[in-house]
Amino acid sequence: MSTTSNPFGQVLVALVTPFTPDGEVDWSDVEKHIDRVITDGADGIVVTGTTGETSTLTDPEKLKLVEVAKSVAGGRAKIITGGGSNETAHAIELAKKSEKAGADGNMIVTPYYNKPTQAGVLTHFRMIADATDLPVILYDIPGRTGIPIKYETILRASKHPNIVAIKDAKGDLSEVSRVLNQTDLIYFSGDDANVLPSLAIGVSGLIGVTANIAPTPYRHMIDAVNAGDLATATAAHKALEPLVRAIMTHVPGTVSTKYVLHGLGRIGSPRVRLPLVGPEEWEAAQIEDEIDLVKNIAGVDFGNFRPDRNAAAGGALPKVAGTTR
């Protein structure tokens, strides 16, 4: 475990952004969903991240999500902005505005599409971290960005006073161990299936997609690990396994999470914005088959699960286009 004080907490939810059937942000559902996950055990909320469909949100929507989340949390959980940009100037602007909107932290994703060198990646991180007083979480997810944050770059970035943490979705636990041995970075697991193995080698917590649906068992897992109770932590891991498989293996996590949340009656629509679309019939059937295997998950009653494939079909074009600049 890192010796650095953790300003974010340990159970963080990579929040979905609920939409109306026509693709506009459903602010009432946003408020209800944030309140629910905090009540069920989340220490922090990452808004406008990958799971929140950051690529198709407008800047005003991103900033309002920070403001609404901060208001709903009321000091009960930390609010981290996770949008960022592959344009450094735009990412700086968003960071400054998010800080003014009340964000408690800034999660910066590796620049995507541009494919910069590691020197460019490091400069991007440092300039954004310089722009505010917010503590920074680096987000290493090469499957989406096209490039990793290399080990040497992580070491160099860790020397910046505002860069205090990293969300790892690379899956190389040997590298994680190496970095933990050589830095004071706080590590968060960004892979729902491997939260417990990551905790076992010293990772501080998780930023999870499945936690939108079931934050409580992750709370139990974290508390058990902190108490040295491997048996209880393992039981939580095993109980979560079919739910994690349902959410993370058949369609993008945003799509499956909204499908399940809608089926549980927690959000009014499972709509996603194009180019994301709802699950096709066979994909929905796979998700539902996995859900049938979920037993005794704290805080979730799948006896009331009523999925609606028709409501989830297709994707929405909102009235105002998002921005990738």
Side-chain angles (χ1 to χ4, degrees), residues 274-319:
L274 287 162
L276 293 182
V277 295
E280 297 189 53
E281 283 289 315
W282 62 276
E283 294 166 331
Q286 288 179 317
I287 294 169
E288 292 162 24
D289 286 346
E290 308 285 16
I291 293 297
D292 286 342
L293 301 175
V294 178
K295 307 294 181 187
N296 301 319
I297 292 282
V300 185
D301 180 6
F302 280 106
N304 297 321
F305 183 56
R306 300 290 184 272
D308 187 337
R309 298 181 187 181
N310 289 330
L317 281 173
K319 295 175 184 176

Side-chain angles (χ1 to χ4, degrees), residues 1-323:
M1 188 72 71
S2 170
T3 58
T4 300
S5 176
N6 184 343
F8 308 109
Q10 293 182 276
V11 179
L12 276 59
V13 178
L15 200 81
V16 296
T17 306
F19 295 142
T20 62
D22 60 356
E24 302 306 312
V25 178
D26 188 326
W27 294 106
S28 175
D29 271 1
V30 168
E31 293 179 2
K32 288 188 293 184
H33 185 47
I34 290 171
D35 183 67
R36 172 79 185 242
V37 297
I38 295 173
T39 299
D40 285 355
D43 298 316
I45 307 290
V46 177
V47 295
T48 75
T50 303
T51 308
E53 298 178 69
T54 186
S55 297
T56 50
L57 292 172
T58 65
D59 282 6
E61 287 172 334
K62 292 175 183 179
L63 297 172
K64 186 173 178 179
L65 280 162
V66 173
E67 293 169 350
V68 169
K70 188 75 171 181
S71 175
V72 173
R76 296 176 296 159
K78 299 297 185 179
I79 306 303
I80 296 99
T81 183
S85 174
N86 64 335
E87 180 194 12
T88 306
H90 184 216
I92 288 170
E93 178 185 7
L94 277 174
K96 289 178 177 178
K97 290 181 178 178
S98 295
E99 183 178 37
K100 289 181 181 178
D104 298 301
N106 183 20
M107 189 170 77
I108 308 174
V109 71
T110 317
Y112 44 89
Y113 193 74
N114 319 57
K115 279 199 168 182
T117 64
Q118 290 295 300
V121 170
L122 184 61
T123 301
H124 179 79
F125 290 153
R126 284 173 170 168
M127 291 190 72
I128 300 166
D130 281 341
T132 75
D133 292 325
L134 294 176
V136 165
I137 305 172
L138 303 182
Y139 186 12
D140 190 5
I141 183 165
R144 286 185 180 272
T145 63
I147 54 172
I149 310 174
K150 290 189 176 180
Y151 161 75
E152 295 81 6
T153 305
I154 295 173
L155 294 189
R156 294 174 72 187
S158 72
K159 299 182 186 304
H160 193 290
N162 287 348
I163 297 175
V164 301
I166 187 164
K167 176 184 177 182
D168 178 75
K170 195 156 52 181
D172 184 348
L173 295 188
S174 62
E175 181 178 287
V176 172
S177 293
R178 189 180 181 190
V179 175
L180 286 172
N181 278 341
Q182 296 184 53
T183 75
D184 285 328
L185 284 175
I186 301 161
Y187 255 80
F188 292 100
S189 171
D191 179 2
D192 286 11
N194 287 316
V195 171
L196 183 56
S198 299
L199 292 169
I201 64 167
V203 165
S204 300
L206 65 123
I207 300 176
V209 180
T210 309
N212 278 278
I213 299 161
T216 302
Y218 286 109
R219 175 84 270 155
H220 292 167
M221 185 189 297
I222 288 282
D223 291 346
V225 169
N226 290 342
D229 183 356
L230 180 60
T232 297
T234 301
H237 169 81
K238 288 182 176 179
L240 281 163
E241 188 274 330
L243 180 59
V244 170
R245 195 167 62 244
I247 297 303
M248 303 304 294
T249 57
H250 304 298
V251 294
T254 301
V255 175
S256 51
T257 299
K258 285 188 171 183
Y259 186 69
V260 172
L261 286 172
H262 181 251
L264 290 169
R266 295 190 191 173
I267 59 175
S269 170
R271 181 67 68 229
V272 290
R273 285 180 177 173
L274 287 162
L276 293 182
V277 295
E280 297 189 53
E281 283 289 315
W282 62 276
E283 294 166 331
Q286 288 179 317
I287 294 169
E288 292 162 24
D289 286 346
E290 308 285 16
I291 293 297
D292 286 342
L293 301 175
V294 178
K295 307 294 181 187
N296 301 319
I297 292 282
V300 185
D301 180 6
F302 280 106
N304 297 321
F305 183 56
R306 300 290 184 272
D308 187 337
R309 298 181 187 181
N310 289 330
L317 281 173
K319 295 175 184 176
V320 179
T323 175

